[in-house]
Amino acid sequence: MTHSFVLGIQDAVLEPEPLDPEQIVSGRPEVTGKVVWESPDGRQLRGIWEITPGVVTDTEADEMFVVVSGSATVEVKNGPTLTVGPGDMAVLRAGDETVWTVHETLRKAYVINL
């Protein structure tokens, strides 16, 4: 990135990010996303991510995100169950094993540290 910028999260065009079939617990969730900024060393990412309804598993990175639209329940193994919706900010720890139950197509803006 050479300049500061602004991007409309709601209207951003996202690219398909196919899920590993082993991650899908139920439904037919589809994921799209867009990295809008990456640090020169590739260890920090900023972007937009969207998932349609269904249930999926994941192993998380160190992430902070803000939900723009939609809703989900995120169950953290040996941790809390997070219910997120528009305007909510959530923090996930690297290595957290999660189960996402997406109730309405969820779009979020995120910051990830690898």
Side-chain angles (χ1 to χ4, degrees):
M1 181 176 91
T2 58
H3 302 286
S4 298
F5 66 94
V6 65
L7 177 66
I9 298 170
Q10 295 272 27
D11 302 323
V13 176
L14 308 179
E15 300 294 325
E17 294 181 0
L19 285 165
D20 177 340
E22 292 185 13
Q23 288 182 268
I24 300 172
V25 176
S26 68
R28 290 186 172 160
E30 295 181 7
V31 172
T32 55
K34 178 179 185 130
V35 174
V36 299
W37 180 86
E38 183 175 341
S39 64
D41 65 3
R43 295 184 50 88
Q44 297 179 4
L45 304 170
R46 314 292 190 257
I48 303 166
W49 185 84
E50 184 173 276
I51 185 169
T52 61
V55 180
V56 298
T57 62
D58 199 11
T59 300
E60 303 299 334
D62 175 19
E63 177 180 6
M64 186 279 296
F65 65 87
V66 175
V67 177
V68 177
S69 59
S71 64
T73 303
V74 184
E75 297 173 59
V76 180
K77 183 177 180 180
N78 300 320
T81 296
L82 312 172
T83 302
V84 297
D88 288 334
M89 181 185 85
V91 175
L92 299 171
R93 295 179 311 159
D96 278 349
E97 294 178 28
T98 56
V99 176
W100 288 68
T101 301
V102 180
H103 310 292
E104 297 174 70
T105 297
L106 183 132
R107 184 172 280 217
K108 67 181 184 177
Y110 66 82
V111 174
I112 292 176
N113 295 304
L114 302 172

